[in-house]
Amino acid sequence: MLGKLLDFKQEGNRVSFRFEKGEGSLTPLKETVFRVFSGDSTIPSKAVEKTEHEAGKALCTEVCREEGGVRVSTRCMSALVGDDFSVDFYWADGSPVCREYRGERTLSKGLGEEERELMAGEGHFLAEEKKRHKIEVLKAIEGDECFYGLGDKTGFLNKRHYAYDMWNTDNPDPQVDSFRALYKSIPFFMARTDRGDYGIFFDTTYKSVFDMGKESRDYYYFAADEGNLDYYFIGGDTLPEILTEYTALTGRAPLPQLWTLGYHQSRWSYKTEEEVQYIGNMLRKLRVPCDSIHLDIDYMERYKVFTWDKERFPDPKRLLSHLGEEGFKIVTIIDPGVKVEEGYPLYEEGMKKGYFVTAPSGETYVNAVWPGDSVFPDFGNPQVRAWWARQQKLLTSAGVRGVWNDMNEPATFRGEIPGDIVFSDEGQKADHTRMHNAYGHLMAKATYEGLKEADGRRPFVITRACYAGTQKYSTAWTGDNHSIWAHLQMAVPQLCNLSLSGMPFVGTDIAGFGSDATPELLLRWVETGCFSPLFRNHCCLSAVRQEPWAFGKDVLDIYRSYVELRYTLIPYYYDLFREEEQTGRPILRPLVFHYEKDPETWETNDQFLIGDRLLAAPVLQQGVRRRVVYLPEGTWYDFWKGEAIEGKRAILQEAPLDTCPLYVKAGSILPRWPVQQYVGEKEIRELILDIYPGEGSCLHYRDDGESFGYREGAYAEYRFEVESSGRFTAELLHAGYTPYESLLLRCRGKEIRLSLSGEGKAEAKLW
Ligand code: GLC
């Protein structure tokens, strides 16, 4: 690519290199984090806004020439930069962790024209021919690497031997393992290796390719045809350490409003005021706890964003206030496409101000989405974002509490937007090729900022399209899955990989979006989905009804019990979100996240951890009533029966239709609340602590559950500890919010009620 390395220069932490055919730089941002860059430094990063990494600190301990290149060392690692801007990374003791692959790519000739035509005749999907890219980084596969992350790709947890494209794509066909792209582009992965772990974040919004050892067993590569060579290398001993650094770079999901952790009921569509009220009444009558009902596109007037259909929703404010009294928060969908229609104020204003993307000729670009002919806001322009942000007021003034951003890949019905359509990039002129993958990200950012301004509380945004860093603004769901067992199975690795890509607040459409759910699928899906941070049942226009009561009383009773379980665990989820905001550790974690020394966990696709204390092993196949569960090292307790089970082995677990196998790690303290029909229904003065014998400790966090006051100290934080002797201690560490009046300790059938002393301490003997 860049040819021979000629010379180098060090300025502070940045070391720049001159090659025969260009220049590049390598900058340590921390002892274990390096940025490798070559290209146009004026292109703004969409992911890295501000980082915790301080530029002030001198990090390079040595920069010197040696055989093979220039070595840049920090206290913990070194990078050896050579010809063609190859970069090898080593630990401080000189052992390699990730080296460039120095051979050529194996580009086979592929099929001839005639053969391609023959296959295309039967409608076979033909992958693109292998080709060289302008930017191509090949790294060696040197052992038993497993690759995790890469956003919401289909297939399994370990991405080794698969190849993907980063190009936000709305493809409604049932998603299968061979899909190369879905709605989100998060060009970040982590590698677990016996030489130590590392992560690579290729910060480009241009279409990129990640071939994780599909083309060759000897190397993997990431590549793009445009944009910069701009990647961050993060070394570490464990996956959690790497994720902490990645999220220090791209940001963390802020603590959400508490109610957003409750249950959400949705369907395309609850079409009228009466229908929405009916859904609310049913949920309350049948006592299925629920915090939110979502309104899909039909609440709008002919799919015009930021309007209400006056016939079907004559008085949204009244409806939402009435539902609000019953504890329901309403979330409305907003798509980016603005209907072309004279007299529609949003369209007219946007046209007047030049806020929509244009053809190179300057003419506004038109494609079709739900409303027919539509134009597309230029979200890369900060003024357009501010304008879009202001529109949220139409919703918040009616009482809307969250905004769901859809179709923001952007999806278009008359073919993809051509690459040369003109977009802005923070004051620079750019095109669709550059801005496509950032479009949903920037829309979510505008929505977040608008809600924050209009409502003041922590914004609740859901988005379908994402880029790296979208977690700062929005939660996400995995888009249009189907009501098929394969998609319930896929949900586990997909949500785990999103979590490992820095997106912690995620969920799937429970029971599936397209196709028709069956009673058994609905149950197994809620038994799995009740653990996902975003807990929403949603389906499409043509699907059979899949509300909790749709299949009769027996199904309803089981469904309800899992929604209730989730409500009792909300304080645990909230603690996990607090931890996530501080460390980047996600809520859902694949087993490998905490047990990576154990090869049994590297490819676990059908079990997951919630934080570090709970392990769920849902049934993901029709007709199955028992399954094999792998429990990692240590002692585990069966959540339902309480019996202790020694780990580091597989067990055979009975799992009748009403049971999701669930286990708690010995020494866990699980904070719980009583069941409520919605968050805030009851005033909670007592915290329940379920304690599982062993040794352990945890922090517990509480605040008003909605404002940003916690950032000024308006929260209470406790530390709880249990020792192997059975001694339990509690301490109030921070008293910026009303503390609980009492703690109810529950352990092996015994209950002890405790109150904290004046110094905020308490202790008890549990066994
Ligand atoms: C898209 C969304 C889906 C929504 C539908 C109608 O398909 O992914 O969730 O219901 O559009 O708005």
Side-chain angles (χ1 to χ4, degrees):
M1 222 167 62
L2 291 176
K4 268 203 153 347
L5 173 59
L6 303 177
D7 53 39
F8 72 97
K9 195 166 84 200
Q10 183 188 355
E11 284 162 294
N13 288 327
R14 184 169 182 273
V15 185
S16 47
F17 303 90
R18 207 160 59 81
F19 299 91
E20 272 171 339
K21 289 184 256 173
E23 289 172 0
S25 65
L26 180 127
T27 316
L29 303 176
K30 241 189 153 170
E31 262 96 10
T32 52
V33 183
F34 296 80
R35 182 179 184 193
V36 178
F37 183 86
S38 171
D40 174 0
S41 59
T42 66
I43 297 184
S45 170
K46 317 297 176 291
V48 183
E49 289 184 8
K50 62 176 192 289
T51 80
E52 284 176 11
H53 300 111
E54 288 306 327
K57 189 171 166 202
L59 293 164
C60 298
T61 50
E62 199 175 12
V63 181
C64 61
R65 258 224 185 254
E66 63 174 55
E67 206 188 313
V70 172
R71 189 174 290 271
V72 180
S73 307
T74 68
R75 255 179 348 101
C76 303
M77 296 192 76
S78 73
L80 181 66
V81 177
D83 294 344
D84 270 333
F85 211 180
S86 62
V87 193
D88 300 335
F89 294 93
Y90 296 85
W91 300 118
D93 68 3
S95 61
V97 57
C98 170
R99 288 187 283 200
E100 206 86 359
Y101 179 75
R102 291 194 162 67
E104 283 294 308
R105 273 184 58 195
T106 41
L107 294 172
S108 62
K109 258 190 34 247
L111 296 180
E113 206 38 51
E114 225 174 274
E115 290 165 317
R116 291 183 78 83
E117 256 173 48
L118 191 70
M119 285 190 69
E122 204 195 346
H124 289 284
F125 166 77
L126 290 179
E128 271 180 46
E129 293 287 275
K130 292 179 185 178
K131 58 164 190 172
R132 299 244 17 194
H133 301 270
K134 189 186 118 196
I135 296 156
E136 219 170 65
V137 179
L138 275 67
K139 300 283 186 196
I141 293 180
E142 301 196 50
D144 49 7
E145 277 90 343
C146 299
F147 299 115
Y148 306 113
L150 295 176
D152 69 343
K153 301 295 183 256
T154 55
F156 300 94
L157 186 66
N158 182 3
K159 296 306 185 196
R160 183 155 169 193
H161 302 303
Y162 290 89
Y164 302 98
D165 295 331
M166 295 296 169
W167 187 252
N168 292 355
T169 304
D170 172 28
N171 179 348
D173 293 341
Q175 304 151 3
V176 291
D177 310 355
S178 54
F179 265 42
R180 293 195 48 121
L182 282 180
Y183 308 93
K184 304 172 183 62
S185 292
I186 308 185
F188 168 70
F189 67 89
M190 295 194 278
R192 187 225 57 83
T193 88
D194 284 347
R195 308 177 303 281
D197 296 345
Y198 63 88
I200 290 183
F201 168 41
F202 181 26
D203 190 8
T204 185
T205 56
Y206 286 98
K207 180 173 185 173
S208 59
V209 178
F210 281 75
D211 183 311
M212 309 311 286
K214 174 181 160 111
E215 183 173 284
S216 161
R217 272 171 304 168
D218 301 327
Y219 62 83
Y220 67 90
Y221 75 88
F222 50 95
D225 288 321
E226 285 169 276
N228 292 334
L229 167 71
D230 187 0
Y231 72 92
Y232 295 82
F233 180 90
I234 306 167
D237 292 331
T238 64
L239 300 174
E241 259 176 64
I242 292 162
L243 201 50
T244 294
E245 294 305 334
Y246 169 72
T247 52
L249 270 177
T250 60
R252 300 195 177 125
L255 198 65
Q257 288 191 55
L258 207 45
W259 67 265
T260 65
L261 301 179
Y263 176 65
H264 302 244
Q265 182 61 53
S266 184
R267 179 179 173 91
W268 175 17
S269 277
Y270 300 135
K271 275 192 186 148
T272 59
E273 180 176 293
E274 292 74 35
E275 197 178 355
V276 181
Q277 189 59 64
Y278 167 77
I279 295 294
N281 293 346
M282 286 297 276
L283 286 157
R284 290 293 176 256
K285 187 173 113 198
L286 300 172
R287 300 200 63 75
V288 179
C290 179
D291 264 273
S292 180
I293 301 175
H294 290 210
L295 302 188
D296 207 321
I297 46 179
D298 296 284
Y299 77 89
M300 301 180 221
E301 185 199 323
R302 299 209 317 284
Y303 311 133
K304 286 188 284 184
V305 290
F306 302 111
T307 65
W308 289 90
D309 184 292
K310 291 192 188 62
E311 270 173 32
R312 285 180 280 124
F313 290 88
D315 191 349
K317 207 168 172 169
R318 193 200 58 218
L319 173 71
L320 270 55
S321 126
H322 185 234
L323 287 163
E325 283 160 23
E326 294 165 358
F328 293 110
K329 276 67 71 178
I330 299 301
V331 170
T332 46
I333 199 168
I334 286 288
D335 295 344
V338 173
K339 183 174 170 60
V340 173
E341 187 181 275
E342 297 304 321
Y344 169 29
L346 193 73
Y347 169 72
E348 290 201 336
E349 190 189 351
M351 283 301 280
K352 204 159 77 208
K353 296 190 169 148
Y355 282 172
F356 302 119
V357 301
T358 65
S361 64
E363 224 174 282
T364 303
Y365 173 77
V366 181
N367 202 315
V369 219
W370 306 120
D373 279 2
S374 303
V375 289
F376 300 85
D378 186 9
F379 290 124
N381 174 347
Q383 277 172 325
V384 175
R385 286 204 299 274
W387 171 65
W388 196 260
R390 286 196 297 278
Q391 309 307 317
Q392 315 303 317
K393 278 206 192 89
L394 179 109
L395 303 171
T396 54
S397 63
V400 168
R401 295 289 298 274
V403 175
W404 162 23
N405 284 176
D406 187 23
M407 307 295 278
N408 51 356
E409 294 68 36
T412 40
F413 296 166
R414 279 200 302 262
E416 194 167 275
I417 301 180
D420 63 351
I421 294 302
V422 183
F423 285 62
S424 333
D425 188 0
E426 312 300 310
Q428 281 182 24
K429 188 172 166 192
D431 59 13
H432 181 239
T433 336
R434 192 205 285 189
M435 299 309 288
H436 177 85
N437 282 341
Y439 196 76
H441 173 87
L442 295 169
M443 181 187 186
K445 180 174 176 170
T447 307
Y448 177 90
E449 276 156 13
L451 285 180
K452 193 169 175 191
E453 173 72 36
D455 183 274
R457 288 173 282 203
R458 305 170 204 163
F460 181 56
V461 184
I462 311 176
T463 180
R464 193 170 72 172
C466 294
Y467 180 63
T470 306
Q471 65 268 14
K472 295 187 285 278
Y473 316 117
S474 185
T475 74
W477 96 109
T478 56
D480 299 348
N481 56 5
H482 280 250
S483 301
I484 56 176
W485 289 90
H487 280 183
L488 171 58
Q489 287 150 23
M490 186 173 80
V492 175
Q494 196 175 22
L495 295 180
C496 283
N497 272 323
L498 269 168
S499 301
L500 295 189
S501 307
M503 287 291 304
F505 201 161
V506 285
T508 58
D509 282 347
I510 286 173
F513 176 78
S515 314
D516 294 321
T518 64
E520 189 173 346
L521 183 67
L522 176 71
L523 284 183
R524 291 308 195 185
W525 212 312
V526 77
E527 291 173 15
T528 313
C530 73
F531 298 110
S532 49
L534 185 62
F535 180 20
R536 182 179 79 159
N537 174 324
H538 177 62
C539 69
C540 83
L541 206 52
S542 57
V544 298
R545 307 295 303 197
Q546 59 184 44
E547 284 88 11
W549 55 88
F551 297 103
K553 181 168 182 314
D554 293 351
V555 172
L556 168 67
D557 287 344
I558 301 174
Y559 194 101
R560 182 196 299 111
S561 68
Y562 282 87
V563 182
E564 288 180 347
L565 171 66
R566 167 60 173 252
Y567 273 76
T568 68
L569 287 170
I570 282 180
Y572 180 51
Y573 274 79
Y574 204 48
D575 284 349
L576 294 175
F577 269 101
R578 166 79 172 169
E579 179 189 345
E580 178 278 328
E581 192 178 36
Q582 295 180 330
T583 66
R585 285 198 285 272
I587 317 311
L588 295 187
R589 306 172 185 176
L591 269 48
V592 67
F593 195 70
H594 285 299
Y595 301 95
E596 64 181 276
K597 293 278 173 280
D598 179 355
E600 290 280 343
T601 68
W602 297 350
E603 306 248 10
T604 306
N605 291 295
D606 57 357
Q607 300 179 199
F608 56 90
L609 297 161
I610 302 117
D612 58 357
R613 285 166 256 174
L614 275 178
L615 184 153
V619 170
L620 306 167
Q621 276 169 303
Q622 176 167 325
V624 167
R625 298 291 182 267
R626 69 179 61 83
R627 60 158 291 175
V628 173
V629 176
Y630 182 74
L631 294 172
E633 66 183 9
T635 305
W636 296 83
Y637 289 88
D638 182 315
F639 180 84
W640 306 110
K641 301 208 179 102
E643 69 201 27
I645 312 164
E646 268 323 294
K648 208 159 172 42
R649 67 189 176 107
I651 57 166
L652 189 62
Q653 174 69 59
E654 293 301 317
L657 194 52
D658 63 356
T659 303
C660 171
L662 190 61
Y663 307 87
V664 194
K665 189 87 201 243
S668 289
I669 303 170
L670 274 186
R672 299 181 73 180
W673 284 348
V675 173
Q676 305 180 73
Q677 293 307 297
Y678 55 91
V679 170
E681 184 203 18
K682 297 180 180 157
E683 198 188 330
I684 295 176
R685 302 211 178 110
E686 177 168 86
L687 178 68
I688 300 164
L689 293 174
D690 280 343
I691 300 168
Y692 294 81
E695 256 178 19
S697 66
C698 68
L699 292 176
H700 173 68
Y701 175 87
R702 192 185 194 191
D703 63 13
D704 67 11
E706 57 177 36
S707 79
F708 282 98
Y710 73 101
R711 297 199 174 159
E712 268 79 56
Y715 63 90
E717 192 160 38
Y718 297 83
R719 185 167 190 282
F720 301 129
E721 189 173 349
V722 60
E723 294 168 14
S724 52
S725 62
R727 180 169 176 260
F728 168 87
T729 52
E731 187 181 355
L732 182 62
L733 301 176
H734 183 91
Y737 185 74
T738 331
Y740 294 103
E741 286 170 12
S742 57
L743 305 174
L744 180 66
L745 315 184
R746 302 195 302 203
C747 183
R748 289 172 163 167
K750 187 162 142 188
E751 292 194 348
I752 302 177
R753 187 161 275 122
L754 279 185
S755 293
L756 267 54
S757 67
E759 292 96 66
K761 291 192 176 164
E763 70 171 85
K765 186 85 178 133
L766 291 167
W767 60 85

